[in-house]
Amino acid sequence: ADGPRAGLALLDRLDDLDTYHLFHAVRGELLARCGDVGAARAALERAHTLTDSTAERRHLTRRLESLTPR
């Protein structure tokens, strides 16, 4: 509701979520909305490595591809 930077500030206050893929997926989305494509890609790649779900991996792969310069 208050924008991606406010969301990132809230996420940064959370502890013990480094192995939770959705933490990194959300962080990646917020970073992308802030225009920090490099950090967004890193977060989404981390989420990709942490999930075992084929559907989520597919989604994250598409999202990573959308952040790749052509």
Side-chain angles (χ1 to χ4, degrees), residues 17-48:
L17 294 175
D18 191 56
T19 59
Y20 185 47
H21 72 282
L22 292 178
F23 170 79
H24 295 284
V26 169
R27 193 163 183 281
E29 289 299 329
L30 292 173
L31 287 163
R33 291 178 190 192
C34 288
D36 191 345
V37 175
R41 286 189 54 80
L44 292 170
E45 287 169 356
R46 177 79 173 132
H48 190 276

